Amino acid sequence: MIRFGWCFTLLLSGFMLSAATAEDLSSQVWPTSRGNFAATGTSPKGLADELALQWETKTIEAIESAPVSDGKHVFVVDVMGGMEALSLETGDSLWRHELDTGFVASPSLYLPQNISQSIGAVNVLDSGDLPEETAPLTPEEIEAWAETQAPVLVSGDVEGNVVAWDPASGEQLWKGLTDGEISASPSFYVLRKQGASGEVELQPRALVTSQDGSLYCYAMSSGEPIWKYETGDQIRCGASIGDGKTYLGGCDGGLHVVDLTTGKASRSAIPLGGPTGSTPAIRDGKLFVPIMDGVLYAFAPESDSDAEVDPAWEYSDPDRSQEYRGSVAVNVDVVIVTSRNKTVDAIDRATGKLRWRVTLKRRADASPVIAGDDVWIASTDGRLLRLSVDSGEEKWNFEIRGAFIGEPAIVGDRLVIADDEGVIRSFGPK
């Protein structure tokens, strides 16, 4: 028997998504700043050839992070502590909090319909203490359990506060505390383990990185700290999840691999040769992470041994040293990376060779996003660019007076983006 170790009262039906396949769901929602918990920055479906501005909403302060969405609502945070929920359809405000802090990281949404054993979803993992006779979970059992769950919005601020919210009402559910600024979106997973009563439980957990150099794991039911993993230096990236592990880089110049069932390192950190603030992207057994010194690595770590791990390939500009601050976007063919030197590079995913380059008027602090056949670039000169993923050819642009600091969210047939003047815009089919 599986005992449901965590269950809130179900929220308003408007905040629950209908059942969908993993691919269908991944194109309907944008639950975290990188689009999914493998941090690929990719939506499988593209947007209409002709787009129109559907609505724009002015908030109070600058927004430097990406919106997130459950497919019906948009959630944004600003640099002075504002947190707001908007209707995806109209842009109307549903609720707003003014907090005594500030946000540079997007919040993340724990969505029950996103619980799956597939990469990029809220993964379900088995701990090592399960009785030998415990049968593997079936997709039907996961779906049945997910129907007992409710969405939760989790935020992290510049003072190190971690707060879980009811996304329907904005009510605070619990609060935790780290010792440093939180600079990246939280991630989630579900651990199946034997509880204190001896029964097998499913326990949702939240992962939060902090500039105090630690990765924190919290119980989603209460905010109780479960474990803490220390790297020894600042962490500015998020924790990407795949194959029962989380991968995170840091200012210590190492790629850390942490076993999510124990909270301990599954191997020694893989040397990167320099610090990184980029969230590693996981796709098809490979992991892609750039460092600030201008090198993009592709790794395929296949074991938990402490043997040296050579990159599958590495890319650096042969003519001019670059500085990579953002995360990459990766699809089946290419890895897109932007630099502080105003370049957008498409790197062949298999070989690590440069396919094309676009030079911007000003740099893009926001990480790139791929949707179908398009790459979306939001730059500090206030331009939102739509480039061909195959060639880099510009297909469309939109320009504002301010600057884009955070990347867009791709939600169904819409693109939603916020700027440094606190304006949130939604684009969709004409």
Side-chain angles (χ1 to χ4, degrees):
M1 288 289 290
I2 295 175
R3 183 163 63 89
F4 297 155
W6 179 68
C7 181
F8 287 133
T9 302
L10 290 181
L11 302 182
L12 298 177
S13 60
F15 275 76
M16 301 295 285
L17 293 170
S18 59
T21 66
E23 182 168 328
D24 287 342
L25 181 63
S26 67
S27 66
Q28 294 171 20
V29 301
W30 198 263
T32 187
S33 63
R34 297 309 296 147
N36 55 58
F37 299 110
T40 62
T42 302
S43 172
K45 295 177 66 175
L47 301 179
D49 290 339
E50 296 190 33
L51 295 176
L53 178 64
Q54 296 176 320
W55 55 259
E56 61 180 37
T57 298
K58 179 72 169 70
T59 60
I60 299 172
E61 301 290 348
I63 298 173
E64 296 187 354
S65 56
V68 297
S69 176
D70 61 2
K72 293 187 177 180
H73 312 87
V74 175
F75 301 90
V76 294
V77 291
D78 66 45
V79 297
M80 297 303 291
M83 171 179 284
E84 192 159 4
L86 310 170
S87 165
L88 177 62
E89 182 66 29
T90 65
D92 293 339
S93 180
L94 304 174
W95 55 259
R96 182 177 174 87
H97 289 304
E98 300 289 346
L99 306 171
D100 296 328
T101 183
F103 296 97
V104 294
S106 303
S108 286
L109 282 158
Y110 169 81
L111 298 174
Q113 286 75 13
N114 198 25
I115 297 170
S116 171
Q117 292 166 323
S118 61
I119 297 293
V122 178
N123 280 196
V124 181
L125 311 175
D126 284 348
S127 71
D129 65 356
L130 291 178
E132 290 184 5
E133 65 275 11
T134 305
L137 272 176
T138 67
E140 291 74 22
E141 286 176 312
I142 295 173
E143 182 178 346
W145 180 77
E147 290 176 355
T148 73
Q149 304 292 286
V152 182
L153 182 71
V154 180
S155 64
D157 64 35
V158 296
E159 296 181 357
N161 298 298
V162 182
V163 183
W165 310 87
D166 175 339
S169 65
E171 176 188 358
Q172 181 176 308
L173 302 174
W174 54 258
K175 183 176 181 179
L177 182 64
T178 74
D179 294 323
E181 176 183 301
I182 295 169
S183 305
S185 295
S187 301
F188 310 109
Y189 70 102
V190 176
L191 185 65
R192 187 170 68 144
K193 66 171 301 187
Q194 195 165 23
S197 66
E199 296 185 11
V200 175
E201 300 177 346
L202 289 171
Q203 301 178 354
R205 296 180 171 184
L207 295 174
V208 180
T209 56
S210 170
Q211 286 205 37
D212 67 11
S214 299
L215 169 66
Y216 292 81
C217 178
Y218 296 95
M220 286 286 289
S221 58
S222 62
E224 175 189 0
I226 302 296
W227 51 257
K228 176 182 175 181
Y229 174 84
E230 298 181 10
T231 67
D233 209 335
Q234 293 180 347
I235 308 175
R236 299 184 180 185
C237 72
S240 50
I241 296 176
D243 299 324
K245 300 177 179 66
T246 184
Y247 299 84
L248 61 152
C251 291
D252 66 341
L255 176 65
H256 295 261
V257 186
V258 182
D259 187 324
L260 291 176
T261 66
T262 65
K264 301 182 183 302
S266 66
R267 55 156 297 128
S268 59
I270 300 170
L272 293 174
T276 181
S278 305
T279 301
I282 303 167
R283 179 129 195 177
D284 299 333
K286 283 188 179 177
L287 186 144
F288 306 89
V289 58
I291 63 172
M292 294 179 185
D293 294 340
V295 183
L296 169 62
Y297 291 103
F299 289 105
E302 296 178 353
S303 74
D304 291 339
S305 76
D306 283 338
E308 184 176 343
V309 177
D310 293 324
W313 52 256
E314 59 183 86
Y315 168 80
S316 59
D317 190 325
D319 299 320
R320 180 184 181 188
S321 178
Q322 304 292 331
E323 182 181 3
Y324 297 140
R325 291 291 185 96
S327 302
V328 301
V330 54
N331 68 4
V332 296
D333 296 315
V334 297
V335 183
I336 307 294
V337 62
T338 58
S339 80
R340 303 279 285 184
N341 288 340
K342 303 183 291 187
T343 62
V344 182
D345 287 351
I347 312 302
D348 187 282
R349 204 187 81 172
T351 66
K353 304 298 184 183
L354 179 67
R355 284 195 176 186
W356 54 257
R357 164 172 287 180
V358 169
T359 301
L360 306 173
K361 294 180 179 178
R362 291 182 63 182
R363 71 175 188 265
D365 287 344
S367 299
V369 168
I370 297 174
D373 297 328
D374 300 317
V375 178
W376 291 93
I377 303 293
S379 68
T380 55
D381 65 359
R383 300 178 77 221
L384 175 63
L385 300 176
R386 181 181 197 169
L387 309 178
S388 164
V389 77
D390 292 327
S391 65
E393 177 188 1
E394 184 176 317
K395 300 166 71 173
W396 181 86
N397 72 75
F398 182 86
E399 192 165 354
I400 63 170
R401 290 194 302 174
F404 293 116
I405 309 298
E407 57 260 50
I410 308 297
V411 190
D413 61 359
R414 299 169 184 252
L415 179 147
V416 184
I417 191 169
D419 66 28
D420 70 345
E421 295 185 349
V423 180
I424 305 127
R425 296 176 175 89
S426 172
F427 297 88
K430 279 190 176 181

